[in-house]
Amino acid sequence: MIFIDACFKRSTPTAPVWLMRQAGRYLEEYRATRAKAKDFIDFCRRPELAAEATLQPIDILNVDAAILFSDILVVPLEMGMQLEFVEKHGPILHNPIRTQSDLDRLSDHSVDRLGYVYDAVKLVRAKLDQKKALIGFAGSPWTLATYMIEGGGSKNYAIIKKMVYSQSELLHKLLDRLSRAVGGYLLRQIEAGANAVQIFDSWGGALEKSAFFEFSWRYMLQIADRIKAEYPKIPIILFSKGAGCYLENVSGNFDVFGVDWNTPIERAKDILFDRYALQGNMEPARVYSKNAIEEGALEIARVMGKENGYIFNLGHGMQPDFSRQNAKYLVDLIHETFAR
Ligand code: CP3
């Protein structure tokens, strides 16, 4: 699997490519699969449908890795929170976590209740080309906590940040519980057949430097340590959106650092590439234009083109109105441009 080889900096014939949020509404096939489910949560809970959505970008784009179709919010859902996805608005978590008694009502059995995810992993791994990797994933404790405390998406993270500076003990209790749940969840995905795992810390960048390491990065490393102790040969990818200013302090036992689109890849290379493989980081909006794709890909190739241990990706996720033709064009262009 060239994706796994690149994670461990072994030589590969070209740079492997996959795209964050590669399964999604920009594909008509995805929309057709989603229409078979009652709603988005039902979709996530049906392994045959999740497997179908996972495999679509492999067939359509020829990416080198599949990422399991699911959502980071299935963990709070199975901890007992009431989750709803509202069309054109996003996720809502009812009765958000604000107090110790809110914490007390969360279940510690989410790992066992997520069997439908492990079933989807098994179905995908049985059908997926042996040369392609299957990436399992979870949200970081911090990013999950933002949804659980704010009650949904947030612009300024006012409630959770108030907790950072005035109720840090309570927040650490929640993060610790999430860290255990996420660690167990990723281990079970690996047991079911996932070949690598990525932790999405989409909102780590909401924190100033010291708080980022205390409330977000530390818990990601705790999970990584637990996985490495059991599965040293499963690559771990950590992706923190907005952590580009904090690279000097990045360390720990993981394999691939996911570079977001705000971070100059040259800077990530200078600071991290002697210790970690790198994944990223084309600005997703470039997918709107073939010229912009070419320009972006060439710029990254100038920096990373000759290097083993580099995985092409966007610096954040695909959007619903992106064109599949352009996405396919991008994947083919990368395979050609980075061929050794
Ligand atoms: O990458 C993939 O193709 C795998 C599937 C995947 C989804 N969500 C499917 C999804 C992954 C890896 C995620 C992760 C996720 N979910 C993140 C972290 C990644 C990131 O982008 O930073 C976050 C923050 C979420 C939470 C979430 N889920 C939001 C905010 C939304 C609504 C936003 C929207 O686009 O409507 C979702 C819903 C969701 N998750 C969709 C998909 C394909 C769209 C739902 C639909 O089909 O209606």
Side-chain angles (χ1 to χ4, degrees):
M1 292 182 196
I2 77 164
F3 172 81
I4 302 294
D5 286 338
C7 290
F8 289 124
K9 292 191 154 187
R10 298 190 284 255
S11 81
T12 54
T14 184
V17 191
W18 69 281
L19 306 173
M20 287 193 271
R21 303 288 291 268
Q22 65 192 15
R25 286 163 291 188
Y26 78 103
L27 294 174
E28 63 195 90
E29 292 84 347
Y30 170 91
R31 296 194 299 270
T33 305
R34 191 193 192 291
K36 295 186 212 166
K38 202 163 76 224
D39 52 37
F40 184 72
I41 294 173
D42 181 50
F43 185 4
C44 291
R45 281 180 163 154
R46 287 170 61 179
E48 321 75 47
L49 297 186
E52 200 172 292
T54 304
L55 291 164
Q56 285 162 353
I58 300 285
D59 298 334
I60 298 165
L61 304 178
N62 190 32
V63 283
D64 298 288
I67 178 151
L68 175 69
F69 175 81
S70 185
D71 197 83
I72 63 168
L73 297 176
V74 295
V75 169
L77 172 70
E78 302 304 348
M79 288 174 105
M81 290 195 78
Q82 204 188 326
L83 170 65
E84 193 185 353
F85 282 90
V86 180
E87 219 64 51
K88 296 190 171 62
H89 173 84
I92 295 179
L93 285 128
H94 298 280
N95 307 314
I97 308 297
R98 308 272 165 89
T99 64
Q100 179 65 49
S101 70
D102 292 333
L103 248 183
D104 292 340
R105 53 181 169 83
L106 292 176
S107 162
D108 277 327
H109 301 288
S110 59
V111 174
D112 296 320
R113 292 181 183 166
L114 286 156
Y116 52 87
V117 174
Y118 319 134
D119 289 343
V121 169
K122 286 181 201 152
L123 284 176
V124 172
R125 201 46 279 180
K127 288 189 182 154
L128 184 62
D129 181 338
Q130 287 302 315
K131 295 194 286 295
K132 311 261 185 186
L134 172 59
I135 305 170
F137 75 90
S140 73
W142 166 260
T143 289
L144 293 176
T146 65
Y147 287 98
M148 294 166 78
I149 290 170
E150 300 285 340
S154 173
K155 282 204 168 63
N156 52 13
Y157 306 94
I159 306 169
I160 192 169
K161 282 198 182 186
K162 186 173 175 191
M163 230 182 246
V164 162
Y165 297 105
S166 65
Q167 275 185 293
S168 62
E169 217 173 290
L170 180 67
L171 181 55
H172 276 304
K173 278 194 209 165
L174 173 62
L175 293 168
D176 194 59
R177 296 217 14 214
L178 284 167
S179 178
R180 278 183 277 143
V182 167
Y185 177 49
L186 290 174
L187 285 171
R188 295 282 289 271
Q189 291 183 39
I190 294 166
E191 281 157 27
N195 307 106
V197 291
Q198 172 157 325
I199 303 178
F200 285 88
D201 183 30
S202 308
W203 314 129
L207 292 165
E208 64 171 314
K209 190 172 185 176
S210 58
F212 170 75
F213 286 99
E214 179 181 346
F215 291 90
S216 181
W217 189 253
R218 158 145 71 114
Y219 290 97
M220 292 169 68
L221 291 185
Q222 204 166 297
I223 295 163
D225 282 343
R226 185 168 162 202
I227 294 170
K228 276 290 159 203
E230 283 203 47
Y231 294 101
K233 291 189 174 155
I234 295 289
I236 300 175
I237 310 159
L238 301 185
F239 173 72
S240 267
K241 177 80 191 73
C245 295
Y246 310 150
L247 300 184
E248 282 82 1
N249 296 60
V250 162
S251 65
N253 192 8
F254 66 98
D255 305 287
V256 183
F257 186 84
V259 186
D260 71 4
W261 58 265
N262 291 96
T263 309
I265 188 106
E266 222 152 5
R267 195 175 122 78
K269 187 184 183 193
D270 285 347
I271 302 171
L272 297 173
F273 195 53
D274 59 335
R275 289 175 290 149
Y276 302 108
L278 294 178
Q279 171 179 285
N281 77 335
M282 197 177 86
E283 152 70 272
R286 284 188 179 271
V287 178
Y288 287 118
S289 139
K290 284 191 176 161
N291 281 340
I293 287 173
E294 278 168 29
E295 210 178 69
L298 285 178
E299 172 55 18
I300 294 177
R302 185 182 63 75
V303 182
M304 300 307 297
K306 299 278 177 289
E307 308 287 354
N308 290 313
Y310 170 68
I311 298 150
F312 185 91
N313 205 318
L314 303 176
H316 205 168
M318 292 285 286
Q319 294 296 321
D321 66 340
F322 282 5
S323 116
R324 68 192 278 141
Q325 285 77 16
N326 286 10
K328 171 78 177 132
Y329 178 76
L330 169 62
V331 173
D332 290 341
L333 180 71
I334 297 303
H335 281 147
E336 271 165 43
T337 309
F338 286 75
R340 325 275 187 224

